[in-house]
Amino acid sequence: MSRQITQPLNQVRLTNVAVVRLSRHGHRFEVACYRNKIVNWRQGTETDLTEVLQTERVFTNVSKGQFASTKILKQCFDTSDEEVVCRFILDKGAVQVSDQERAAQLESTMREVASMVAEKCVDGNSGRPYTVTQIRDAMKGAGYMVHPTRNIKQQFLDCVRLIKKKGVLDIERAKMELCLTLLASGGGDDDVSSRRRKALDLLTAEGISRGDVTPATGDDDSKVIFKSDPSKYRRLEEIAKDESVGGRLDITRQCVTESGDVALGSELERRAMAQQQYDEADDEHDVGPDSDSKVEEEDGAGRAMEDLASRVQANLRVDDSDNDDENFSRPTANSRKAQKAAKKKSKKAKRREKEEAAERDERVSAEKERQKRRAERLGLDDEPSCTRINGGAQQQPSGGGEGSKSCTTCGGSFTPAEYRAHFRSEWHGYNVKLKLRGVPPVSEEEFRVVDMDAFFD
């Protein structure tokens, strides 16, 4: 009689489980939830309890399937209603996260922080953005650790502050391009010019340099376009709303970064030209007894900038007299050093190859001379019973016939049985080694009198 196999009918298999745990009065309580519904429940976007819980039961251990008794629920929560207890655990309990989930969450947060830093920060000298890989390496070098639940914006600010403090990268917040528009007040062009000068004075007092202010184009003085650090935006907005200015502040570009090829000399020339254009535009609006002294100071600063640019270009100029091509010039000293080092290394390699080839030829000639002297000493004929063919020792056919086979290394014809034995012989092995070294093979008579170990040692 066969035995019937029975399976439990009331068994519920829980998959994709997220456990919410709460300890109360020395007892542990757990509920089994769906992973993507706990956050929605706590944010208030999900109100249906059946969509959050996999089963409306309270456990003491979800993994073992152990339920909490009614007596313990009554003792710890003053009620035996499991739905009320589940709601309490969902609101107050801690979500249990596995190691893989925690690592994935930290990696996602790290990626978001690094992307925000790469997007909103630039190099302090060149004004060019960093890549995400460079930012992540800098975060690792500075020892910054992300927090999975903190605000990304706050972590971004803390990360930039720590990288600057540690000096891992020369990093700064990318400047914003703002436009201060002077609203019409009915006072005419003189009123607009005076308010523009007042706005420029206030911007200078807030740390906005003259090089960051774009010179006015044409006769329109109602707009002041400048670059500023994002941390100063609120203060600049207060300046724009000041009664003496009477303007409106707009953001034209969120992040200002440099792009394209760059050279130090051209960059200094560009900045000097921008400073000169600003000075020329500002001279037209300067009035008062102190304007002449200001112009002289600004002209001196412009000339100093031009002198600096010319000196840097002179230092960067490369002498083309050593080049075969007149149109070719190396851009930096570092590339010249690298090319010299590579050329020096190639010369050493060529010299080493020549020395090795000379040593190999010397060993081959010595072996040939030694074999010749040994043959003369033993009285061997110059043309023994074997005949040379193509530098090899052609052995006379021992059996002859259509079934014979020849050896291309040692020469000679052999029967099938002798052919197999020949390939296992020391004579054939010795000729193979000679062939690899570029030495002509020897005949069987020469092999009997030759010293095998002397040549290969």
Side-chain angles (χ1 to χ4, degrees):
M1 181 177 180
S2 62
R3 180 176 299 178
Q4 184 180 3
I5 300 176
T6 58
Q7 294 181 351
L9 299 178
N10 61 347
Q11 184 181 32
V12 178
R13 294 186 178 274
L14 302 179
T15 58
N16 192 24
V17 179
V19 178
V20 182
R21 181 180 298 171
L22 177 68
S23 296
R24 190 175 180 87
H25 299 300
H27 297 278
R28 186 178 71 178
F29 301 96
E30 296 178 350
V31 291
C33 312
Y34 294 102
R35 294 183 184 276
N36 53 348
K37 292 293 184 179
I38 300 175
V39 177
N40 296 339
W41 171 268
R42 292 185 174 180
Q43 291 177 351
T45 57
E46 182 62 61
T47 57
D48 189 359
L49 189 63
T50 58
E51 295 292 331
V52 180
L53 297 177
Q54 294 205 5
T55 176
E56 296 181 7
R57 294 294 305 272
V58 180
F59 297 83
T60 57
N61 194 323
V62 173
S63 60
K64 295 181 179 180
Q66 297 175 354
F67 296 105
S69 62
T70 305
K71 180 179 178 181
I72 296 178
L73 293 178
K74 184 70 175 177
Q75 178 183 353
C76 297
F77 297 97
D78 296 332
T79 180
S80 59
D81 189 354
E82 292 192 354
E83 181 178 350
V84 176
V85 176
C86 288
R87 292 177 180 273
F88 186 85
I89 295 174
L90 282 175
D91 294 335
K92 303 296 182 180
V95 181
Q96 305 302 305
V97 182
S98 64
D99 295 340
Q100 292 83 359
E101 293 174 335
R102 186 178 293 106
Q105 189 175 7
L106 289 175
E107 176 64 23
S108 177
T109 307
M110 175 77 76
R111 194 183 307 111
E112 291 182 13
V113 173
S115 300
M116 183 174 290
V117 174
E119 180 183 355
K120 296 182 179 296
C121 295
V122 294
D123 182 80
N125 295 325
S126 64
R128 296 172 180 273
Y130 289 103
T131 62
V132 178
T133 304
Q134 289 176 313
I135 297 300
R136 295 196 64 166
D137 293 341
M139 293 170 65
K140 184 178 180 180
Y144 181 76
M145 297 297 295
V146 296
H147 195 279
T149 59
R150 284 188 63 193
N151 187 10
I152 299 296
K153 180 65 177 297
Q154 186 62 41
Q155 294 193 68
F156 153 72
L157 297 175
D158 295 342
C159 178
V160 174
R161 194 179 300 114
L162 181 62
I163 291 176
K164 292 180 65 176
K165 181 180 178 181
K166 296 291 186 178
V168 180
L169 282 180
D170 185 8
I171 192 171
E172 291 182 357
R173 289 285 304 275
K175 293 184 178 181
M176 303 169 60
E177 188 177 69
L178 305 175
C179 178
L180 175 59
T181 305
L182 303 177
L183 303 178
S185 60
D189 294 339
D190 295 338
D191 180 60
V192 173
S193 300
S194 62
R195 286 193 296 157
R196 179 184 174 87
R197 287 195 297 272
K198 179 64 176 178
L200 290 175
D201 294 340
L202 293 176
L203 292 177
T204 304
E206 288 298 325
I208 306 300
S209 63
R210 290 181 175 269
D212 291 334
V213 180
T214 304
T217 57
D219 298 332
D220 188 10
D221 294 340
S222 61
K223 291 185 178 181
V224 181
I225 301 176
F226 60 95
K227 301 173 186 177
S228 172
D229 190 88
S231 60
K232 300 178 181 179
Y233 178 77
R234 293 185 179 179
R235 175 57 185 160
L236 296 175
E237 192 174 15
E238 294 177 359
I239 292 175
K241 295 180 181 179
D242 191 87
E243 295 180 356
S244 60
V245 177
R248 182 183 70 251
L249 189 64
D250 299 321
I251 300 176
T252 57
R253 278 197 294 174
Q254 191 72 30
C255 296
V256 180
T257 59
E258 298 291 340
S259 60
D261 296 336
V262 66
L264 183 57
S266 60
E267 182 69 14
L268 289 175
E269 284 184 355
R270 184 189 66 80
R271 294 187 180 184
M273 186 64 68
Q275 183 70 24
Q276 184 179 1
Q277 291 177 358
Y278 176 81
D279 294 341
E280 292 175 355
D282 193 42
D283 290 343
E284 299 176 0
H285 303 285
D286 282 341
V287 293
D290 298 335
S291 61
D292 295 337
S293 61
K294 292 180 180 179
V295 170
E296 292 177 357
E297 292 178 358
E298 292 169 358
D299 290 342
R303 287 193 298 271
M305 182 64 71
E306 292 177 359
D307 294 339
L308 177 60
S310 62
R311 287 198 300 271
V312 171
Q313 285 184 336
N315 291 333
L316 291 177
R317 190 173 296 112
V318 180
D319 187 7
D320 296 340
S321 59
D322 296 336
N323 298 330
D324 295 335
D325 188 359
E326 295 181 355
N327 296 326
F328 175 77
S329 62
R330 298 185 180 95
T332 60
N334 290 334
S335 62
R336 292 201 304 272
K337 291 181 179 179
Q339 291 177 3
K340 287 182 179 180
K343 188 176 181 181
K344 186 177 181 181
K345 184 177 180 181
S346 63
K347 287 182 178 180
K348 289 183 178 179
K350 291 180 180 179
R351 186 167 56 251
R352 191 182 306 110
E353 290 177 358
K354 290 182 180 179
E355 292 176 356
E356 292 177 355
E359 292 177 359
R360 184 166 57 253
D361 295 340
E362 185 177 354
R363 288 198 303 269
V364 170
S365 60
E367 174 62 17
K368 290 181 179 180
E369 185 66 24
R370 189 179 63 82
Q371 291 181 4
K372 183 178 179 180
R373 290 197 303 266
R374 180 179 291 260
E376 292 176 355
R377 188 173 63 252
L378 297 177
L380 296 176
D381 297 335
D382 293 338
E383 293 293 336
S385 59
C386 60
T387 59
R388 301 278 182 176
I389 296 178
N390 297 329
Q394 179 68 34
Q395 186 76 17
Q396 292 294 339
S398 58
E402 298 179 356
S404 63
K405 296 183 180 181
S406 62
C407 177
T408 58
T409 302
C410 303
S413 297
F414 308 92
T415 62
E418 293 176 347
Y419 189 74
R420 297 189 193 94
H422 169 70
F423 271 85
R424 298 189 186 98
S425 65
E426 295 182 355
W427 172 38
H428 179 77
Y430 181 73
N431 280 335
V432 170
K433 293 180 181 179
L434 292 179
K435 185 178 180 180
L436 294 177
R437 291 177 177 263
V439 181
V442 298
S443 63
E444 188 174 5
E445 288 77 7
E446 292 174 337
F447 172 72
R448 294 193 184 112
V449 297
V450 78
D451 187 4
M452 293 188 299
D453 300 330
F455 177 71
F456 297 106
D457 290 341

mmCIF file of all heavy atoms in Angstrom, residues 254-285:
data_model
loop_
_atom_site.group_PDB
_atom_site.id
_atom_site.type_symbol
_atom_site.label_atom_id
_atom_site.label_comp_id
_atom_site.label_asym_id
_atom_site.label_seq_id
_atom_site.Cartn_x
_atom_site.Cartn_y
_atom_site.Cartn_z
ATOM 1 N N GLN A 254 23.088 79.046 -14.516
ATOM 2 C CA GLN A 254 23.229 78.470 -13.180
ATOM 3 C C GLN A 254 24.688 78.187 -12.838
ATOM 4 O O GLN A 254 25.126 78.442 -11.716
ATOM 5 C CB GLN A 254 22.425 77.164 -13.085
ATOM 6 C CG GLN A 254 22.294 76.614 -11.673
ATOM 7 C CD GLN A 254 21.353 77.427 -10.818
ATOM 8 O OE1 GLN A 254 20.419 78.028 -11.316
ATOM 9 N NE2 GLN A 254 21.605 77.464 -9.524
ATOM 10 N N CYS A 255 25.457 77.645 -13.783
ATOM 11 C CA CYS A 255 26.867 77.324 -13.558
ATOM 12 C C CYS A 255 27.664 77.811 -14.764
ATOM 13 O O CYS A 255 27.342 77.463 -15.909
ATOM 14 C CB CYS A 255 27.083 75.819 -13.365
ATOM 15 S SG CYS A 255 26.300 75.135 -11.901
ATOM 16 N N VAL A 256 28.711 78.586 -14.515
ATOM 17 C CA VAL A 256 29.572 79.117 -15.571
ATOM 18 C C VAL A 256 30.867 78.323 -15.550
ATOM 19 O O VAL A 256 31.597 78.332 -14.550
ATOM 20 C CB VAL A 256 29.857 80.619 -15.369
ATOM 21 C CG1 VAL A 256 30.760 81.139 -16.481
ATOM 22 C CG2 VAL A 256 28.560 81.399 -15.328
ATOM 23 N N THR A 257 31.160 77.621 -16.635
ATOM 24 C CA THR A 257 32.374 76.816 -16.737
ATOM 25 C C THR A 257 33.080 77.140 -18.042
ATOM 26 O O THR A 257 32.450 77.566 -19.021
ATOM 27 C CB THR A 257 32.050 75.312 -16.699
ATOM 28 O OG1 THR A 257 31.162 74.985 -17.776
ATOM 29 C CG2 THR A 257 31.393 74.930 -15.373
ATOM 30 N N GLU A 258 34.394 76.914 -18.052
ATOM 31 C CA GLU A 258 35.190 77.100 -19.258
ATOM 32 C C GLU A 258 35.137 75.820 -20.077
ATOM 33 O O GLU A 258 35.001 74.717 -19.548
ATOM 34 C CB GLU A 258 36.641 77.428 -18.898
ATOM 35 C CG GLU A 258 36.804 78.720 -18.116
ATOM 36 C CD GLU A 258 36.503 79.947 -18.940
ATOM 37 O OE1 GLU A 258 36.546 79.835 -20.179
ATOM 38 O OE2 GLU A 258 36.213 81.008 -18.364
ATOM 39 N N SER A 259 35.282 75.963 -21.400
ATOM 40 C CA SER A 259 35.249 74.811 -22.288
ATOM 41 C C SER A 259 36.184 75.054 -23.454
ATOM 42 O O SER A 259 36.594 76.192 -23.716
ATOM 43 C CB SER A 259 33.826 74.549 -22.801
ATOM 44 O OG SER A 259 33.348 75.670 -23.521
ATOM 45 N N GLY A 260 36.547 73.956 -24.169
ATOM 46 C CA GLY A 260 37.435 74.065 -25.312
ATOM 47 C C GLY A 260 38.891 73.973 -24.906
ATOM 48 O O GLY A 260 39.240 73.835 -23.721
ATOM 49 N N ASP A 261 39.786 74.058 -25.914
ATOM 50 C CA ASP A 261 41.221 74.007 -25.662
ATOM 51 C C ASP A 261 41.657 75.291 -24.967
ATOM 52 O O ASP A 261 41.100 76.369 -25.171
ATOM 53 C CB ASP A 261 41.998 73.852 -26.964
ATOM 54 C CG ASP A 261 41.677 72.524 -27.638
ATOM 55 O OD1 ASP A 261 41.267 71.601 -26.910
ATOM 56 O OD2 ASP A 261 41.820 72.435 -28.872
ATOM 57 N N VAL A 262 42.686 75.176 -24.141
ATOM 58 C CA VAL A 262 43.158 76.319 -23.375
ATOM 59 C C VAL A 262 44.671 76.311 -23.330
ATOM 60 O O VAL A 262 45.306 75.261 -23.317
ATOM 61 C CB VAL A 262 42.586 76.294 -21.933
ATOM 62 C CG1 VAL A 262 43.129 75.125 -21.152
ATOM 63 C CG2 VAL A 262 42.897 77.584 -21.202
ATOM 64 N N ALA A 263 45.251 77.490 -23.364
ATOM 65 C CA ALA A 263 46.677 77.684 -23.147
ATOM 66 C C ALA A 263 46.835 78.809 -22.140
ATOM 67 O O ALA A 263 46.033 79.751 -22.110
ATOM 68 C CB ALA A 263 47.395 78.029 -24.457
ATOM 69 N N LEU A 264 47.843 78.741 -21.326
ATOM 70 C CA LEU A 264 48.006 79.712 -20.249
ATOM 71 C C LEU A 264 48.182 81.123 -20.792
ATOM 72 O O LEU A 264 47.600 82.084 -20.279
ATOM 73 C CB LEU A 264 49.211 79.315 -19.381
ATOM 74 C CG LEU A 264 49.473 80.200 -18.154
ATOM 75 C CD1 LEU A 264 48.260 80.237 -17.255
ATOM 76 C CD2 LEU A 264 50.688 79.701 -17.394
ATOM 77 N N GLY A 265 48.953 81.253 -21.846
ATOM 78 C CA GLY A 265 49.180 82.585 -22.396
ATOM 79 C C GLY A 265 47.906 83.196 -22.948
ATOM 80 O O GLY A 265 47.594 84.365 -22.682
ATOM 81 N N SER A 266 47.127 82.402 -23.706
ATOM 82 C CA SER A 266 45.884 82.933 -24.270
ATOM 83 C C SER A 266 44.870 83.238 -23.180
ATOM 84 O O SER A 266 44.085 84.185 -23.294
ATOM 85 C CB SER A 266 45.302 81.927 -25.262
ATOM 86 O OG SER A 266 45.016 80.703 -24.610
ATOM 87 N N GLU A 267 44.873 82.438 -22.111
ATOM 88 C CA GLU A 267 43.944 82.699 -21.017
ATOM 89 C C GLU A 267 44.272 84.011 -20.332
ATOM 90 O O GLU A 267 43.377 84.812 -20.009
ATOM 91 C CB GLU A 267 43.996 81.538 -20.014
ATOM 92 C CG GLU A 267 43.043 81.669 -18.841
ATOM 93 C CD GLU A 267 41.594 81.532 -19.251
ATOM 94 O OE1 GLU A 267 41.335 81.077 -20.380
ATOM 95 O OE2 GLU A 267 40.718 81.907 -18.448
ATOM 96 N N LEU A 268 45.550 84.281 -20.092
ATOM 97 C CA LEU A 268 45.925 85.549 -19.481
ATOM 98 C C LEU A 268 45.616 86.725 -20.411
ATOM 99 O O LEU A 268 45.181 87.797 -19.951
ATOM 100 C CB LEU A 268 47.419 85.532 -19.130
ATOM 101 C CG LEU A 268 47.821 84.619 -17.973
ATOM 102 C CD1 LEU A 268 49.325 84.611 -17.810
ATOM 103 C CD2 LEU A 268 47.160 85.052 -16.683
ATOM 104 N N GLU A 269 45.814 86.541 -21.688
ATOM 105 C CA GLU A 269 45.472 87.605 -22.635
ATOM 106 C C GLU A 269 43.973 87.889 -22.628
ATOM 107 O O GLU A 269 43.541 89.037 -22.691
ATOM 108 C CB GLU A 269 45.922 87.204 -24.045
ATOM 109 C CG GLU A 269 47.418 87.342 -24.257
ATOM 110 C CD GLU A 269 47.797 87.032 -25.703
ATOM 111 O OE1 GLU A 269 46.887 86.630 -26.468
ATOM 112 O OE2 GLU A 269 48.965 87.198 -26.044
ATOM 113 N N ARG A 270 43.168 86.826 -22.568
ATOM 114 C CA ARG A 270 41.726 87.014 -22.546
ATOM 115 C C ARG A 270 41.281 87.787 -21.312
ATOM 116 O O ARG A 270 40.462 88.711 -21.390
ATOM 117 C CB ARG A 270 41.028 85.641 -22.583
ATOM 118 C CG ARG A 270 39.523 85.717 -22.672
ATOM 119 C CD ARG A 270 38.903 84.335 -22.487
ATOM 120 N NE ARG A 270 39.138 83.826 -21.146
ATOM 121 C CZ ARG A 270 38.434 84.185 -20.084
ATOM 122 N NH1 ARG A 270 37.461 85.067 -20.203
ATOM 123 N NH2 ARG A 270 38.707 83.682 -18.903
ATOM 124 N N ARG A 271 41.853 87.430 -20.158
ATOM 125 C CA ARG A 271 41.471 88.139 -18.934
ATOM 126 C C ARG A 271 41.953 89.587 -18.952
ATOM 127 O O ARG A 271 41.254 90.494 -18.493
ATOM 128 C CB ARG A 271 42.042 87.398 -17.730
ATOM 129 C CG ARG A 271 41.441 86.019 -17.533
ATOM 130 C CD ARG A 271 41.894 85.387 -16.239
ATOM 131 N NE ARG A 271 41.318 84.057 -16.070
ATOM 132 C CZ ARG A 271 41.488 83.310 -14.995
ATOM 133 N NH1 ARG A 271 42.244 83.758 -13.993
ATOM 134 N NH2 ARG A 271 40.931 82.111 -14.905
ATOM 135 N N ALA A 272 43.148 89.798 -19.485
ATOM 136 C CA ALA A 272 43.646 91.172 -19.573
ATOM 137 C C ALA A 272 42.785 91.995 -20.523
ATOM 138 O O ALA A 272 42.488 93.173 -20.256
ATOM 139 C CB ALA A 272 45.099 91.163 -20.042
ATOM 140 N N MET A 273 42.343 91.408 -21.644
ATOM 141 C CA MET A 273 41.486 92.118 -22.587
ATOM 142 C C MET A 273 40.128 92.440 -21.966
ATOM 143 O O MET A 273 39.592 93.540 -22.159
ATOM 144 C CB MET A 273 41.300 91.267 -23.836
ATOM 145 C CG MET A 273 40.537 91.969 -24.960
ATOM 146 S SD MET A 273 41.422 93.403 -25.587
ATOM 147 C CE MET A 273 42.811 92.581 -26.375
ATOM 148 N N ALA A 274 39.577 91.483 -21.214
ATOM 149 C CA ALA A 274 38.294 91.736 -20.559
ATOM 150 C C ALA A 274 38.418 92.846 -19.533
ATOM 151 O O ALA A 274 37.531 93.707 -19.409
ATOM 152 C CB ALA A 274 37.793 90.448 -19.894
ATOM 153 N N GLN A 275 39.533 92.858 -18.783
ATOM 154 C CA GLN A 275 39.754 93.921 -17.817
ATOM 155 C C GLN A 275 39.890 95.271 -18.507
ATOM 156 O O GLN A 275 39.356 96.292 -18.044
ATOM 157 C CB GLN A 275 41.022 93.615 -17.000
ATOM 158 C CG GLN A 275 41.333 94.625 -15.909
ATOM 159 C CD GLN A 275 40.344 94.550 -14.763
ATOM 160 O OE1 GLN A 275 39.724 93.512 -14.556
ATOM 161 N NE2 GLN A 275 40.192 95.644 -14.043
ATOM 162 N N GLN A 276 40.585 95.300 -19.644
ATOM 163 C CA GLN A 276 40.766 96.545 -20.374
ATOM 164 C C GLN A 276 39.432 97.055 -20.927
ATOM 165 O O GLN A 276 39.148 98.263 -20.871
ATOM 166 C CB GLN A 276 41.767 96.342 -21.510
ATOM 167 C CG GLN A 276 42.102 97.622 -22.277
ATOM 168 C CD GLN A 276 43.119 97.366 -23.362
ATOM 169 O OE1 GLN A 276 43.549 96.228 -23.551
ATOM 170 N NE2 GLN A 276 43.508 98.416 -24.061
ATOM 171 N N GLN A 277 38.616 96.156 -21.470
ATOM 172 C CA GLN A 277 37.316 96.579 -21.976
ATOM 173 C C GLN A 277 36.440 97.120 -20.869
ATOM 174 O O GLN A 277 35.731 98.117 -21.049
ATOM 175 C CB GLN A 277 36.620 95.386 -22.663
ATOM 176 C CG GLN A 277 37.282 94.939 -23.956
ATOM 177 C CD GLN A 277 36.604 93.729 -24.538
ATOM 178 O OE1 GLN A 277 35.651 93.195 -23.951
ATOM 179 N NE2 GLN A 277 37.087 93.287 -25.708
ATOM 180 N N TYR A 278 36.490 96.485 -19.712
ATOM 181 C CA TYR A 278 35.693 96.988 -18.600
ATOM 182 C C TYR A 278 36.174 98.364 -18.159
ATOM 183 O O TYR A 278 35.368 99.252 -17.867
ATOM 184 C CB TYR A 278 35.761 96.006 -17.423
ATOM 185 C CG TYR A 278 35.030 96.505 -16.200
ATOM 186 C CD1 TYR A 278 33.649 96.371 -16.104
ATOM 187 C CD2 TYR A 278 35.723 97.131 -15.168
ATOM 188 C CE1 TYR A 278 32.974 96.843 -14.999
ATOM 189 C CE2 TYR A 278 35.045 97.604 -14.060
ATOM 190 C CZ TYR A 278 33.677 97.461 -13.973
ATOM 191 O OH TYR A 278 33.022 97.924 -12.892
ATOM 192 N N ASP A 279 37.496 98.558 -18.123
ATOM 193 C CA ASP A 279 38.029 99.858 -17.714
ATOM 194 C C ASP A 279 37.629 100.950 -18.690
ATOM 195 O O ASP A 279 37.272 102.069 -18.284
ATOM 196 C CB ASP A 279 39.554 99.782 -17.612
ATOM 197 C CG ASP A 279 40.003 98.851 -16.498
ATOM 198 O OD1 ASP A 279 39.161 98.567 -15.611
ATOM 199 O OD2 ASP A 279 41.160 98.389 -16.518
ATOM 200 N N GLU A 280 37.679 100.615 -19.999
ATOM 201 C CA GLU A 280 37.295 101.618 -20.979
ATOM 202 C C GLU A 280 35.820 101.970 -20.866
ATOM 203 O O GLU A 280 35.433 103.136 -21.007
ATOM 204 C CB GLU A 280 37.601 101.099 -22.390
ATOM 205 C CG GLU A 280 39.085 100.958 -22.679
ATOM 206 C CD GLU A 280 39.341 100.335 -24.035
ATOM 207 O OE1 GLU A 280 38.342 99.936 -24.689
ATOM 208 O OE2 GLU A 280 40.525 100.242 -24.440
ATOM 209 N N ALA A 281 34.982 100.948 -20.622
ATOM 210 C CA ALA A 281 33.551 101.240 -20.475
ATOM 211 C C ALA A 281 33.257 101.978 -19.184
ATOM 212 O O ALA A 281 32.359 102.820 -19.127
ATOM 213 C CB ALA A 281 32.753 99.937 -20.510
ATOM 214 N N ASP A 282 34.038 101.711 -18.137
ATOM 215 C CA ASP A 282 33.792 102.351 -16.853
ATOM 216 C C ASP A 282 34.285 103.791 -16.839
ATOM 217 O O ASP A 282 33.774 104.628 -16.091
ATOM 218 C CB ASP A 282 34.479 101.547 -15.745
ATOM 219 C CG ASP A 282 34.003 101.969 -14.368
ATOM 220 O OD1 ASP A 282 32.787 102.171 -14.217
ATOM 221 O OD2 ASP A 282 34.848 102.097 -13.465
ATOM 222 N N ASP A 283 35.300 104.109 -17.674
ATOM 223 C CA ASP A 283 35.819 105.475 -17.720
ATOM 224 C C ASP A 283 34.772 106.455 -18.216
ATOM 225 O O ASP A 283 34.775 107.635 -17.845
ATOM 226 C CB ASP A 283 37.058 105.536 -18.625
ATOM 227 C CG ASP A 283 38.242 104.835 -17.987
ATOM 228 O OD1 ASP A 283 38.187 104.612 -16.753
ATOM 229 O OD2 ASP A 283 39.197 104.476 -18.705
ATOM 230 N N GLU A 284 33.862 106.014 -19.073
ATOM 231 C CA GLU A 284 32.859 106.911 -19.619
ATOM 232 C C GLU A 284 31.856 107.346 -18.577
ATOM 233 O O GLU A 284 31.192 108.377 -18.730
ATOM 234 C CB GLU A 284 32.136 106.218 -20.777
ATOM 235 C CG GLU A 284 33.066 105.844 -21.915
ATOM 236 C CD GLU A 284 32.335 105.089 -22.997
ATOM 237 O OE1 GLU A 284 31.114 104.880 -22.825
ATOM 238 O OE2 GLU A 284 32.973 104.731 -24.014
ATOM 239 N N HIS A 285 31.707 106.581 -17.491
ATOM 240 C CA HIS A 285 30.700 106.889 -16.466
ATOM 241 C C HIS A 285 31.325 107.452 -15.197
ATOM 242 O O HIS A 285 30.596 107.771 -14.257
ATOM 243 C CB HIS A 285 29.907 105.625 -16.119
ATOM 244 C CG HIS A 285 29.246 105.002 -17.303
ATOM 245 N ND1 HIS A 285 28.125 105.531 -17.892
ATOM 246 C CD2 HIS A 285 29.571 103.900 -18.037
ATOM 247 C CE1 HIS A 285 27.770 104.785 -18.929
ATOM 248 N NE2 HIS A 285 28.637 103.785 -19.032
#
